[in-house]
Amino acid sequence: SLQYIYLDHNNFSGIIPYWDLPGLEELHLNNNQLVGGLPVETGTTYPKLLTLNIQNNNLDQPIQSDVCLLDVFEEGQLIDLGADCAICNCSSLCQACFNPSRI
């Protein structure tokens, strides 16, 4: 099954599509022109996700709590979340957003 998707820096626009890929480990969609937010239940759809990069897009919907639960210190395996502070509410994954001295 597909484990890695690298679609960064492609000037893609529109919404982030839903992909039924339960084995996905890395999703790189950063530096595009995507809008909206992550598909509903992203955290439960991709339980093996280690890296999620969605920063530098036009996303305006907050990251869902099920994605925050993917954090390696919570219930999951997620160790790298790249997201703009305006949409990131996962304090352990977006530490720079919650503690500006770490920037």
Side-chain angles (χ1 to χ4, degrees):
S1 73
L2 190 61
Q3 294 176 300
Y4 310 100
I5 296 178
Y6 290 87
L7 296 174
D8 52 314
H9 295 90
N10 280 293
N11 206 30
F12 289 133
S13 60
I15 62 170
I16 298 174
Y18 169 82
W19 293 303
D20 187 14
L21 301 169
L24 190 65
E25 294 181 11
E26 292 191 22
L27 179 57
H28 300 268
L29 297 172
N30 49 302
N31 298 297
N32 284 294
Q33 300 299 317
L34 300 169
V35 297
L38 292 169
V40 175
E41 298 181 355
T42 295
T44 55
T45 301
Y46 309 122
K48 297 181 179 183
L49 201 59
L50 301 171
T51 301
L52 174 62
N53 285 319
I54 55 172
Q55 71 270 21
N56 298 322
N57 280 290
N58 297 317
L59 302 175
D60 60 1
Q61 295 177 10
I63 294 174
Q64 302 97 330
S65 59
D66 65 331
V67 173
C68 299
L69 291 176
L70 289 175
D71 179 5
V72 71
F73 296 109
E74 295 287 338
E75 300 173 5
Q77 302 177 45
L78 188 63
I79 54 174
D80 184 20
L81 172 64
D84 298 320
C85 290
I87 63 167
C88 191
N89 54 7
C90 307
S91 60
S92 60
L93 290 166
C94 300
Q95 293 176 358
C97 298
F98 293 88
N99 185 359
S101 65
R102 297 193 70 181
I103 297 175

